[in-house]
Amino acid sequence: GIYIHIPFCNEVCIYCDFTKMVTKLDNKIKYIDRLLEEIDNNISYFNDIDTIYIGGGTPNSLPLNLLEKLLIKLNPYLDKTKENSIELNPELINDDLLILLKKYNFNRLSIGVESFNDDILKLIRRKYDKNLVFDKIKLAKYYGFDNINIDLIFGLPGQTLNDIIYDLNYFKDLNINHLSYYDLILEDKTILNNYINMHKCKLLDDELLADMYDYINKFMYEAGYNHYEISNYAKEGFESIHNLKYWSEEEYLGLGLGASSFINNYRIKNKNKLIDYFNEFIDTKEFINEEEEKKEFVMLGLRKLKGISISEYNKRYHSDILNDFNFKKFIINNIIIIDNDYIKIKEDKMFISNLIIGELI
């Protein structure tokens, strides 16, 4: 899989800790030229890929001519892949953009909606309302996009369980095939963290967050969606092929500012400051030994509701996962179960998966 990072936004959301910035057009032009150089340097990897994912930032904050310049470079590979995804902000979706994406064989859209509550959208600095979201998704369907994801967030300051019910009912009305519903993680270098420190708002308590998560799982199951990863739900056949690579410890190449790669047991991290990236692509390159890779395989694999294939682990590492990791306590307490070939966290315990995985590894 290939991941390509576009770090530009028209406005920075208060919770966002991704590599992103608001900048002038000259920097965007220079960045795309530099990104094309990095693609050329890694072009040999493009012969054996089945997904391309353009994320951000806000990829559709690029002027269309710059976005097309990138797509022209990728074009020889875009019709050979199973899945080509791009992240979009709804207010920047228009006919010209969708026509361009169709022209270059993009078949999956991931739209950052975050909430249908207009007051919450104002709080997090989003420049649209719920009616616009419906209009833009209707437009995307008109142009033939049937593989659409939206992102929502729960745990934002001021949210209630009724807000979650409200958001889910609007999601259901959209009649799309995928939902990523993330719980808010408070990161240090964010505007929201400053708000919390200045007592302008406060985070929700864990009990309410757990109730929200339980409700989301129940609602999505009853609506006919497969809960296949902690935060992800899909109709049958619409699971994200690209993102499953991360959770299955498969190889991927990350290109662009701050992007990460996992290739030949090396974890490679790109420069995350624009001025540095213009001079040199790679920041760090770390060899992941087998013991560390085993831990990552377990950590990432247990994010999937299906869990970890015991036989795949044993074949990959010539070792027994049940001997390598101490699952006994979690199995006795009915937190982790073995289901045929798979070892997995029970769905009603997924909300505390970070604690479980942390103790395991």
Side-chain angles (χ1 to χ4, degrees), residues 69-275:
K69 191 172 183 179
L70 172 61
L71 300 185
I72 288 169
K73 173 65 76 173
L74 299 175
N75 192 45
Y77 312 96
L78 288 167
D79 61 350
K80 300 175 183 176
T81 47
K82 295 177 183 175
E83 180 185 273
N84 299 317
S85 303
I86 186 167
E87 294 179 356
L88 306 174
N89 273 20
E91 74 277 15
L92 299 173
I93 295 173
N94 56 42
D95 295 78
D96 291 339
L97 172 68
L98 295 169
I99 290 167
L100 182 71
L101 294 175
K102 267 294 174 184
K103 175 182 175 183
Y104 289 96
N105 293 302
F106 273 79
N107 54 14
R108 185 174 186 271
L109 308 180
S110 184
I111 302 173
V113 173
E114 320 314 350
S115 175
F116 292 101
N117 182 315
D118 292 344
D119 290 334
I120 289 175
L121 289 173
K122 289 175 185 173
L123 170 71
I124 62 176
R125 299 185 174 183
R126 302 310 286 258
K127 302 295 186 183
Y128 52 85
D129 59 24
K130 60 181 178 291
N131 293 325
L132 182 138
V133 172
F134 273 77
D135 290 344
K136 299 300 185 176
I137 288 179
K138 183 179 178 181
L139 186 65
K141 289 180 178 181
Y142 171 79
Y143 282 105
F145 291 96
D146 62 352
N147 191 353
I148 299 174
N149 167 68
I150 67 165
D151 292 347
L152 294 175
I153 298 178
F154 71 96
L156 288 163
Q159 270 185 327
T160 65
L161 183 57
N162 282 338
D163 288 323
I164 305 308
I165 295 169
Y166 177 87
D167 279 353
L168 285 168
N169 283 318
Y170 271 103
F171 166 78
K172 191 175 180 181
D173 289 343
L174 287 172
N175 190 28
I176 56 176
N177 293 307
H178 196 285
L179 172 66
S180 298
Y181 213 143
Y182 299 106
D183 60 320
L184 175 73
I185 297 173
L186 184 64
E187 303 287 3
D188 289 339
K189 296 178 181 179
T190 61
I191 298 165
L192 179 58
N193 189 56
N194 292 335
Y195 286 175
I196 299 292
N197 290 337
M198 292 186 290
H199 306 291
K200 289 186 175 182
C201 57
K202 63 179 182 177
L203 297 177
L204 307 186
D205 65 64
D206 288 343
E207 188 174 345
L208 176 55
L209 292 172
D211 288 344
M212 289 175 170
Y213 188 66
D214 287 344
Y215 185 88
I216 293 164
N217 291 341
K218 181 173 181 289
F219 183 98
M220 294 302 288
Y221 173 78
E222 291 176 352
Y225 290 79
N226 172 31
H227 185 193
Y228 72 101
E229 191 268 348
I230 291 174
S231 305
N232 285 274
Y233 309 80
K235 290 283 181 72
E236 189 67 34
F238 287 91
E239 295 84 358
S240 170
I241 300 170
H242 182 86
N243 287 335
L244 279 166
K245 292 181 184 299
Y246 303 137
W247 306 317
S248 301
E249 193 75 352
E250 295 180 30
E251 292 192 334
Y252 54 89
L253 174 68
L255 302 170
L257 191 71
S260 294
S261 305
F262 180 60
I263 296 176
N264 297 326
N265 285 89
Y266 279 93
R267 181 83 61 209
I268 303 162
K269 177 80 173 173
N270 272 5
K271 298 286 187 181
N272 64 5
K273 290 184 178 179
L274 202 59
I275 191 168

Side-chain angles (χ1 to χ4, degrees), residues 3 12 35 42 51 63 80 91-92 135 142 184 228 236 244 250 256 273 282 297 299 305 308 341 352:
Y3 173 80
V12 174
L35 185 57
N42 292 276
T51 65
K80 300 175 183 176
E91 74 277 15
L92 299 173
D135 290 344
Y142 171 79
L184 175 73
Y228 72 101
E236 189 67 34
L244 279 166
E250 295 180 30
K273 290 184 178 179
I282 294 174
F297 187 87
M299 176 183 71
L305 271 290
I308 299 165
D341 182 46
I352 57 166

Side-chain angles (χ1 to χ4, degrees), residues 320-359:
D320 185 349
I321 190 172
L322 297 174
N323 289 333
D324 291 348
F325 295 91
N326 186 11
F327 291 101
K328 186 176 180 181
K329 180 181 81 170
F330 298 106
I331 292 172
I332 289 171
N333 289 309
N334 202 30
I335 292 169
I336 286 178
I337 58 174
I338 297 177
D339 182 9
N340 295 318
D341 182 46
Y342 286 85
I343 187 161
K344 62 185 183 181
I345 299 173
K346 289 185 68 181
E347 184 173 12
D348 64 353
K349 301 297 189 296
M350 266 292 180
F351 189 65
I352 57 166
S353 60
N354 282 349
L355 298 175
I356 298 165
I357 293 167
E359 189 168 332

